[in-house]
Short mmCIF file of all heavy atoms in Angstrom, two decimals:
data_model
loop_
_atom_site.label_atom_id
_atom_site.label_comp_id
_atom_site.label_asym_id
_atom_site.label_seq_id
_atom_site.Cartn_x
_atom_site.Cartn_y
_atom_site.Cartn_z
N ASN C 106 2.46 11.88 35.67
CA ASN C 106 3.11 10.57 35.59
C ASN C 106 3.26 9.90 36.96
O ASN C 106 4.14 9.08 37.17
CB ASN C 106 4.48 10.69 34.92
CG ASN C 106 5.43 11.60 35.67
OD1 ASN C 106 5.18 11.99 36.80
ND2 ASN C 106 6.55 11.95 35.03
N TYR C 107 2.38 10.25 37.87
CA TYR C 107 2.45 9.69 39.21
C TYR C 107 1.96 8.24 39.20
O TYR C 107 1.13 7.86 38.39
CB TYR C 107 1.64 10.53 40.19
CG TYR C 107 2.07 11.97 40.15
CD1 TYR C 107 1.26 12.93 39.58
CD2 TYR C 107 3.32 12.35 40.62
CE1 TYR C 107 1.67 14.25 39.50
CE2 TYR C 107 3.74 13.67 40.54
CZ TYR C 107 2.91 14.62 39.97
OH TYR C 107 3.31 15.91 39.89
N THR C 108 2.49 7.45 40.12
CA THR C 108 2.14 6.04 40.18
C THR C 108 0.81 5.85 40.91
O THR C 108 0.36 6.73 41.68
CB THR C 108 3.22 5.23 40.92
OG1 THR C 108 3.26 5.65 42.29
CG2 THR C 108 4.59 5.42 40.27
N GLU C 109 0.21 4.71 40.69
CA GLU C 109 -1.03 4.37 41.40
C GLU C 109 -0.78 4.40 42.91
O GLU C 109 -1.63 4.86 43.68
CB GLU C 109 -1.53 3.00 40.96
CG GLU C 109 -2.86 2.62 41.55
CD GLU C 109 -3.38 1.30 41.02
OE1 GLU C 109 -3.09 0.94 39.87
OE2 GLU C 109 -4.08 0.61 41.79
N ALA C 110 0.38 3.91 43.33
CA ALA C 110 0.72 3.89 44.76
C ALA C 110 0.79 5.32 45.32
O ALA C 110 0.36 5.56 46.46
CB ALA C 110 2.04 3.17 44.98
N GLN C 111 1.31 6.26 44.54
CA GLN C 111 1.35 7.66 45.00
C GLN C 111 -0.05 8.22 45.16
O GLN C 111 -0.35 8.89 46.15
CB GLN C 111 2.14 8.52 44.01
CG GLN C 111 3.63 8.32 44.09
CD GLN C 111 4.36 9.15 43.05
OE1 GLN C 111 4.28 8.86 41.86
NE2 GLN C 111 5.07 10.17 43.51
N TYR C 112 -0.91 7.95 44.19
CA TYR C 112 -2.29 8.44 44.28
C TYR C 112 -3.03 7.81 45.45
O TYR C 112 -3.81 8.48 46.13
CB TYR C 112 -3.03 8.23 42.96
CG TYR C 112 -2.78 9.31 41.96
CD1 TYR C 112 -2.22 9.03 40.73
CD2 TYR C 112 -3.11 10.64 42.23
CE1 TYR C 112 -1.99 10.03 39.79
CE2 TYR C 112 -2.88 11.64 41.31
CZ TYR C 112 -2.33 11.33 40.09
OH TYR C 112 -2.11 12.33 39.18
N GLU C 113 -2.81 6.53 45.71
CA GLU C 113 -3.44 5.86 46.85
C GLU C 113 -2.98 6.49 48.16
O GLU C 113 -3.78 6.73 49.07
CB GLU C 113 -3.15 4.37 46.83
CG GLU C 113 -3.88 3.62 45.74
CD GLU C 113 -3.46 2.17 45.60
OE1 GLU C 113 -2.67 1.67 46.45
OE2 GLU C 113 -3.91 1.52 44.64
N CYS C 114 -1.69 6.77 48.26
CA CYS C 114 -1.14 7.41 49.44
C CYS C 114 -1.72 8.81 49.61
O CYS C 114 -2.12 9.20 50.72
CB CYS C 114 0.39 7.46 49.37
SG CYS C 114 1.16 8.19 50.82
N LEU C 115 -1.79 9.56 48.53
CA LEU C 115 -2.35 10.91 48.59
C LEU C 115 -3.80 10.87 49.05
O LEU C 115 -4.22 11.67 49.88
CB LEU C 115 -2.23 11.59 47.21
CG LEU C 115 -2.78 13.01 47.12
CD1 LEU C 115 -2.05 13.96 48.07
CD2 LEU C 115 -2.68 13.51 45.68
N ASP C 116 -4.57 9.94 48.52
CA ASP C 116 -5.97 9.78 48.90
C ASP C 116 -6.07 9.53 50.41
O ASP C 116 -6.84 10.20 51.12
CB ASP C 116 -6.57 8.63 48.10
CG ASP C 116 -8.08 8.48 48.29
OD1 ASP C 116 -8.71 9.28 49.01
OD2 ASP C 116 -8.64 7.52 47.72
N SER C 117 -5.29 8.60 50.93
CA SER C 117 -5.31 8.28 52.36
C SER C 117 -4.86 9.47 53.21
O SER C 117 -5.47 9.77 54.24
CB SER C 117 -4.41 7.08 52.66
OG SER C 117 -4.89 5.93 52.04
N LEU C 118 -3.79 10.13 52.76
CA LEU C 118 -3.28 11.28 53.51
C LEU C 118 -4.31 12.39 53.58
O LEU C 118 -4.57 12.95 54.65
CB LEU C 118 -1.98 11.78 52.87
CG LEU C 118 -1.38 13.04 53.50
CD1 LEU C 118 -1.02 12.82 54.96
CD2 LEU C 118 -0.16 13.48 52.70
N LEU C 119 -4.92 12.71 52.46
CA LEU C 119 -5.92 13.79 52.46
C LEU C 119 -7.12 13.43 53.31
O LEU C 119 -7.66 14.29 54.02
CB LEU C 119 -6.35 14.12 51.03
CG LEU C 119 -5.29 14.80 50.17
CD1 LEU C 119 -5.78 14.95 48.74
CD2 LEU C 119 -4.88 16.15 50.76
N SER C 120 -7.54 12.18 53.28
CA SER C 120 -8.66 11.75 54.12
C SER C 120 -8.33 11.98 55.59
O SER C 120 -9.15 12.50 56.36
CB SER C 120 -8.98 10.27 53.88
OG SER C 120 -9.44 10.08 52.57
N TYR C 121 -7.11 11.63 55.99
CA TYR C 121 -6.67 11.85 57.37
C TYR C 121 -6.58 13.35 57.69
O TYR C 121 -7.10 13.81 58.72
CB TYR C 121 -5.31 11.18 57.60
CG TYR C 121 -4.67 11.61 58.89
CD1 TYR C 121 -5.12 11.12 60.11
CD2 TYR C 121 -3.63 12.55 58.89
CE1 TYR C 121 -4.55 11.54 61.31
CE2 TYR C 121 -3.06 12.96 60.08
CZ TYR C 121 -3.52 12.46 61.28
OH TYR C 121 -2.95 12.90 62.45
N LEU C 122 -5.92 14.11 56.81
CA LEU C 122 -5.73 15.53 57.08
C LEU C 122 -7.05 16.29 57.15
O LEU C 122 -7.19 17.23 57.94
CB LEU C 122 -4.80 16.16 56.03
CG LEU C 122 -3.34 15.72 56.10
CD1 LEU C 122 -2.56 16.30 54.93
CD2 LEU C 122 -2.71 16.11 57.43
N LEU C 123 -8.01 15.89 56.36
CA LEU C 123 -9.31 16.57 56.39
C LEU C 123 -10.09 16.25 57.67
O LEU C 123 -10.96 17.04 58.06
CB LEU C 123 -10.12 16.25 55.14
CG LEU C 123 -9.58 16.94 53.88
CD1 LEU C 123 -10.22 16.37 52.62
CD2 LEU C 123 -9.78 18.45 53.96
N LEU C 124 -9.76 15.17 58.32
CA LEU C 124 -10.33 14.91 59.65
C LEU C 124 -9.68 15.83 60.68
O LEU C 124 -10.33 16.34 61.58
CB LEU C 124 -10.12 13.45 60.05
CG LEU C 124 -10.94 12.42 59.29
CD1 LEU C 124 -10.52 11.00 59.69
CD2 LEU C 124 -12.44 12.61 59.53
N GLU C 125 -8.37 16.04 60.53
CA GLU C 125 -7.62 16.90 61.44
C GLU C 125 -7.88 18.39 61.20
O GLU C 125 -7.88 19.19 62.13
CB GLU C 125 -6.12 16.62 61.31
CG GLU C 125 -5.71 15.23 61.74
CD GLU C 125 -5.91 14.97 63.22
OE1 GLU C 125 -5.51 15.82 64.04
OE2 GLU C 125 -6.50 13.92 63.54
N TYR C 126 -8.06 18.74 59.93
CA TYR C 126 -8.27 20.14 59.52
C TYR C 126 -9.52 20.20 58.64
O TYR C 126 -9.42 20.40 57.42
CB TYR C 126 -7.04 20.66 58.76
CG TYR C 126 -5.75 20.45 59.50
CD1 TYR C 126 -4.90 19.38 59.18
CD2 TYR C 126 -5.37 21.30 60.53
CE1 TYR C 126 -3.71 19.18 59.86
CE2 TYR C 126 -4.17 21.10 61.22
CZ TYR C 126 -3.36 20.04 60.88
OH TYR C 126 -2.18 19.84 61.56
N PRO C 127 -10.70 20.01 59.22
CA PRO C 127 -11.92 19.83 58.42
C PRO C 127 -12.34 21.02 57.56
O PRO C 127 -13.09 20.84 56.60
CB PRO C 127 -12.99 19.51 59.48
CG PRO C 127 -12.45 20.03 60.76
CD PRO C 127 -10.96 19.94 60.65
N ASP C 128 -11.88 22.20 57.88
CA ASP C 128 -12.27 23.38 57.10
C ASP C 128 -11.28 23.70 55.99
O ASP C 128 -11.35 24.76 55.38
CB ASP C 128 -12.40 24.60 58.02
CG ASP C 128 -13.49 24.40 59.06
OD1 ASP C 128 -14.50 23.74 58.75
OD2 ASP C 128 -13.32 24.89 60.20
N SER C 129 -10.37 22.78 55.71
CA SER C 129 -9.32 23.04 54.72
C SER C 129 -9.79 22.79 53.30
O SER C 129 -10.51 21.84 53.02
CB SER C 129 -8.11 22.15 55.00
OG SER C 129 -7.48 22.54 56.18
N ALA C 130 -9.31 23.64 52.42
CA ALA C 130 -9.51 23.46 50.97
C ALA C 130 -8.30 22.70 50.44
O ALA C 130 -7.17 22.95 50.87
CB ALA C 130 -9.63 24.82 50.28
N VAL C 131 -8.55 21.77 49.54
CA VAL C 131 -7.48 21.02 48.89
C VAL C 131 -7.30 21.60 47.49
O VAL C 131 -8.28 21.74 46.76
CB VAL C 131 -7.82 19.51 48.79
CG1 VAL C 131 -6.72 18.76 48.07
CG2 VAL C 131 -8.07 18.93 50.17
N MET C 132 -6.07 21.94 47.14
CA MET C 132 -5.83 22.48 45.80
C MET C 132 -4.39 22.24 45.37
O MET C 132 -3.53 21.97 46.20
CB MET C 132 -6.16 23.98 45.73
CG MET C 132 -5.31 24.85 46.61
SD MET C 132 -5.63 26.64 46.42
CE MET C 132 -7.35 26.77 46.74
N GLY C 133 -4.19 22.31 44.08
CA GLY C 133 -2.85 22.24 43.53
C GLY C 133 -2.17 23.59 43.66
O GLY C 133 -2.83 24.64 43.74
N HIS C 134 -0.86 23.59 43.66
CA HIS C 134 -0.10 24.83 43.71
C HIS C 134 -0.54 25.77 42.59
O HIS C 134 -0.73 26.96 42.79
CB HIS C 134 1.39 24.51 43.62
CG HIS C 134 2.29 25.68 43.84
ND1 HIS C 134 3.63 25.60 43.62
CD2 HIS C 134 2.07 26.95 44.25
CE1 HIS C 134 4.19 26.77 43.88
NE2 HIS C 134 3.26 27.61 44.26
N ARG C 135 -0.75 25.21 41.39
CA ARG C 135 -1.16 26.06 40.26
C ARG C 135 -2.52 26.71 40.49
O ARG C 135 -2.77 27.81 39.99
CB ARG C 135 -1.14 25.26 38.96
CG ARG C 135 -2.22 24.21 38.85
CD ARG C 135 -2.08 23.43 37.57
NE ARG C 135 -3.17 22.49 37.37
CZ ARG C 135 -3.22 21.64 36.38
NH1 ARG C 135 -2.24 21.59 35.49
NH2 ARG C 135 -4.23 20.83 36.26
N ASP C 136 -3.40 26.06 41.26
CA ASP C 136 -4.70 26.66 41.58
C ASP C 136 -4.54 27.86 42.49
O ASP C 136 -5.19 28.88 42.31
CB ASP C 136 -5.62 25.63 42.23
CG ASP C 136 -5.85 24.41 41.35
OD1 ASP C 136 -6.05 24.59 40.13
OD2 ASP C 136 -5.82 23.28 41.87
N LEU C 137 -3.65 27.74 43.47
CA LEU C 137 -3.38 28.86 44.36
C LEU C 137 -2.69 29.98 43.59
O LEU C 137 -2.97 31.17 43.81
CB LEU C 137 -2.52 28.42 45.55
CG LEU C 137 -2.23 29.48 46.59
CD1 LEU C 137 -3.53 30.05 47.18
CD2 LEU C 137 -1.34 28.93 47.70
N ILE C 138 -1.83 29.62 42.66
CA ILE C 138 -1.16 30.62 41.82
C ILE C 138 -2.19 31.43 41.03
O ILE C 138 -2.12 32.66 40.98
CB ILE C 138 -0.15 29.93 40.87
CG1 ILE C 138 1.10 29.53 41.66
CG2 ILE C 138 0.20 30.80 39.67
CD1 ILE C 138 2.06 28.63 40.91
N LYS C 139 -3.18 30.74 40.46
CA LYS C 139 -4.24 31.45 39.72
C LYS C 139 -5.02 32.37 40.64
O LYS C 139 -5.35 33.50 40.29
CB LYS C 139 -5.18 30.45 39.05
CG LYS C 139 -4.58 29.76 37.86
CD LYS C 139 -5.54 28.74 37.28
CE LYS C 139 -4.85 27.89 36.22
NZ LYS C 139 -5.67 26.75 35.80
N LEU C 140 -5.32 31.89 41.85
CA LEU C 140 -6.08 32.67 42.82
C LEU C 140 -5.33 33.94 43.24
O LEU C 140 -5.93 35.00 43.39
CB LEU C 140 -6.37 31.79 44.04
CG LEU C 140 -7.16 32.39 45.17
CD1 LEU C 140 -8.61 32.61 44.75
CD2 LEU C 140 -7.09 31.50 46.40
N THR C 141 -4.02 33.82 43.39
CA THR C 141 -3.22 34.95 43.89
C THR C 141 -2.52 35.74 42.78
O THR C 141 -1.83 36.71 43.07
CB THR C 141 -2.15 34.44 44.87
OG1 THR C 141 -1.28 33.53 44.19
CG2 THR C 141 -2.79 33.75 46.08
N LYS C 142 -2.70 35.30 41.54
CA LYS C 142 -2.09 35.96 40.38
C LYS C 142 -0.56 35.96 40.44
O LYS C 142 0.10 36.89 39.97
CB LYS C 142 -2.66 37.35 40.20
CG LYS C 142 -4.17 37.34 39.96
CD LYS C 142 -4.72 38.68 39.67
CE LYS C 142 -6.20 38.76 39.49
NZ LYS C 142 -7.02 37.65 39.53
N ALA C 143 0.00 34.90 41.02
CA ALA C 143 1.46 34.73 41.04
C ALA C 143 1.91 34.25 39.66
O ALA C 143 1.09 33.84 38.84
CB ALA C 143 1.83 33.71 42.11
N PRO C 144 3.20 34.31 39.37
CA PRO C 144 3.69 33.83 38.07
C PRO C 144 3.27 32.36 37.84
O PRO C 144 3.37 31.54 38.74
CB PRO C 144 5.22 33.95 38.20
CG PRO C 144 5.42 35.01 39.22
CD PRO C 144 4.27 34.86 40.19
N PRO C 145 2.79 32.05 36.64
CA PRO C 145 2.22 30.72 36.37
C PRO C 145 3.23 29.58 36.46
O PRO C 145 4.40 29.74 36.16
CB PRO C 145 1.67 30.84 34.95
CG PRO C 145 2.35 32.01 34.35
CD PRO C 145 2.75 32.92 35.47
N LYS C 146 2.72 28.44 36.91
CA LYS C 146 3.47 27.17 36.99
C LYS C 146 2.47 26.06 36.71
O LYS C 146 1.28 26.22 36.93
CB LYS C 146 4.05 26.93 38.38
CG LYS C 146 5.19 27.80 38.78
CD LYS C 146 5.70 27.38 40.15
CE LYS C 146 6.80 28.31 40.63
NZ LYS C 146 7.22 28.00 41.99
N ASP C 147 2.97 24.90 36.28
CA ASP C 147 2.11 23.74 36.04
C ASP C 147 1.93 22.89 37.30
O ASP C 147 1.10 21.99 37.32
CB ASP C 147 2.69 22.86 34.93
CG ASP C 147 2.62 23.54 33.57
OD1 ASP C 147 1.62 24.24 33.31
OD2 ASP C 147 3.57 23.38 32.79
N CYS C 148 2.69 23.12 38.31
CA CYS C 148 2.71 22.33 39.54
C CYS C 148 1.31 22.16 40.12
O CYS C 148 0.62 23.16 40.32
CB CYS C 148 3.63 23.03 40.54
SG CYS C 148 3.76 22.26 42.14
N PRO C 149 0.85 20.96 40.34
CA PRO C 149 1.53 19.67 40.39
C PRO C 149 1.37 18.82 39.12
O PRO C 149 1.54 17.60 39.18
CB PRO C 149 0.86 18.98 41.57
CG PRO C 149 -0.56 19.43 41.47
CD PRO C 149 -0.47 20.86 40.97
N CYS C 150 1.03 19.45 38.02
CA CYS C 150 0.98 18.75 36.72
C CYS C 150 -0.23 17.83 36.56
O CYS C 150 -0.22 16.92 35.74
CB CYS C 150 2.28 18.00 36.43
SG CYS C 150 3.73 19.08 36.59
N PHE C 151 -1.26 18.04 37.36
CA PHE C 151 -2.56 17.39 37.16
C PHE C 151 -3.62 18.26 37.82
O PHE C 151 -3.31 19.15 38.61
CB PHE C 151 -2.59 15.95 37.70
CG PHE C 151 -2.65 15.81 39.20
CD1 PHE C 151 -3.84 15.52 39.84
CD2 PHE C 151 -1.50 15.92 39.98
CE1 PHE C 151 -3.90 15.36 41.22
CE2 PHE C 151 -1.55 15.77 41.35
CZ PHE C 151 -2.75 15.49 41.97
N ASP C 152 -4.86 18.03 37.46
CA ASP C 152 -5.98 18.82 37.96
C ASP C 152 -6.42 18.26 39.31
O ASP C 152 -7.18 17.29 39.38
CB ASP C 152 -7.13 18.78 36.95
CG ASP C 152 -8.26 19.73 37.30
OD1 ASP C 152 -8.44 20.06 38.48
OD2 ASP C 152 -8.98 20.12 36.36
N VAL C 153 -5.95 18.87 40.38
CA VAL C 153 -6.22 18.40 41.74
C VAL C 153 -7.71 18.45 42.05
O VAL C 153 -8.27 17.51 42.62
CB VAL C 153 -5.41 19.20 42.78
CG1 VAL C 153 -5.85 18.87 44.20
CG2 VAL C 153 -3.93 18.94 42.61
N ARG C 154 -8.37 19.52 41.66
CA ARG C 154 -9.80 19.66 41.97
C ARG C 154 -10.62 18.56 41.28
O ARG C 154 -11.51 17.98 41.89
CB ARG C 154 -10.30 21.04 41.59
CG ARG C 154 -9.72 22.09 42.52
CD ARG C 154 -10.19 23.46 42.19
NE ARG C 154 -9.53 24.39 43.10
CZ ARG C 154 -9.91 25.62 43.30
NH1 ARG C 154 -10.95 26.09 42.67
NH2 ARG C 154 -9.25 26.39 44.12
N LYS C 155 -10.30 18.29 40.03
CA LYS C 155 -11.00 17.23 39.30
C LYS C 155 -10.75 15.87 39.96
O LYS C 155 -11.67 15.08 40.17
CB LYS C 155 -10.55 17.20 37.84
CG LYS C 155 -11.20 16.14 37.01
CD LYS C 155 -10.68 16.18 35.59
CE LYS C 155 -11.23 14.99 34.79
NZ LYS C 155 -10.59 14.89 33.47
N TRP C 156 -9.49 15.59 40.32
CA TRP C 156 -9.13 14.33 40.96
C TRP C 156 -9.87 14.19 42.29
O TRP C 156 -10.41 13.13 42.60
CB TRP C 156 -7.61 14.26 41.15
CG TRP C 156 -7.14 12.99 41.79
CD1 TRP C 156 -6.95 11.79 41.20
CD2 TRP C 156 -6.84 12.81 43.18
NE1 TRP C 156 -6.53 10.85 42.12
CE2 TRP C 156 -6.44 11.46 43.35
CE3 TRP C 156 -6.84 13.65 44.29
CZ2 TRP C 156 -6.07 10.94 44.59
CZ3 TRP C 156 -6.45 13.13 45.52
CH2 TRP C 156 -6.08 11.79 45.66
N CYS C 157 -9.89 15.25 43.08
CA CYS C 157 -10.58 15.22 44.38
C CYS C 157 -12.07 14.96 44.19
O CYS C 157 -12.67 14.19 44.94
CB CYS C 157 -10.37 16.54 45.14
SG CYS C 157 -8.74 16.70 45.89
N LYS C 158 -12.65 15.60 43.19
CA LYS C 158 -14.08 15.39 42.92
C LYS C 158 -14.34 13.93 42.56
O LYS C 158 -15.31 13.32 43.05
CB LYS C 158 -14.54 16.30 41.79
CG LYS C 158 -16.02 16.30 41.54
CD LYS C 158 -16.42 17.32 40.52
CE LYS C 158 -17.93 17.28 40.35
NZ LYS C 158 -18.38 18.30 39.38
N GLU C 159 -13.49 13.34 41.72
CA GLU C 159 -13.64 11.94 41.35
C GLU C 159 -13.50 11.01 42.55
O GLU C 159 -14.14 9.97 42.61
CB GLU C 159 -12.59 11.56 40.29
CG GLU C 159 -12.84 12.19 38.94
CD GLU C 159 -11.67 12.03 37.98
OE1 GLU C 159 -10.63 11.44 38.35
OE2 GLU C 159 -11.79 12.52 36.84
N LYS C 160 -12.67 11.39 43.52
CA LYS C 160 -12.44 10.58 44.71
C LYS C 160 -13.43 10.88 45.83
O LYS C 160 -13.42 10.21 46.86
CB LYS C 160 -11.01 10.83 45.24
CG LYS C 160 -9.93 10.27 44.36
CD LYS C 160 -9.97 8.79 44.41
CE LYS C 160 -8.82 8.13 43.77
NZ LYS C 160 -8.87 6.69 43.90
N GLY C 161 -14.23 11.91 45.65
CA GLY C 161 -15.18 12.30 46.71
C GLY C 161 -14.50 13.01 47.87
O GLY C 161 -14.97 12.96 49.00
#
Side-chain angles (χ1 to χ4, degrees):
N106 61 11
Y107 305 108
T108 66
E109 185 176 329
Q111 285 177 290
Y112 276 120
E113 288 173 7
C114 182
L115 180 61
D116 187 3
S117 295
L118 177 60
L119 290 174
S120 295
Y121 168 76
L122 290 174
L123 287 168
L124 290 174
E125 295 295 312
Y126 308 100
D128 298 327
S129 291
V131 178
M132 64 175 56
H134 187 189
R135 70 183 185 185
D136 301 318
L137 183 58
I138 284 170
K139 287 178 189 170
L140 181 70
T141 61
K142 300 185 183 357
K146 289 183 184 175
D147 291 323
C148 178
C150 307
F151 75 101
D152 188 334
V153 171
R154 290 181 183 196
K155 180 181 173 188
W156 181 81
C157 284
K158 187 174 181 178
E159 290 169 359
K160 290 291 190 177

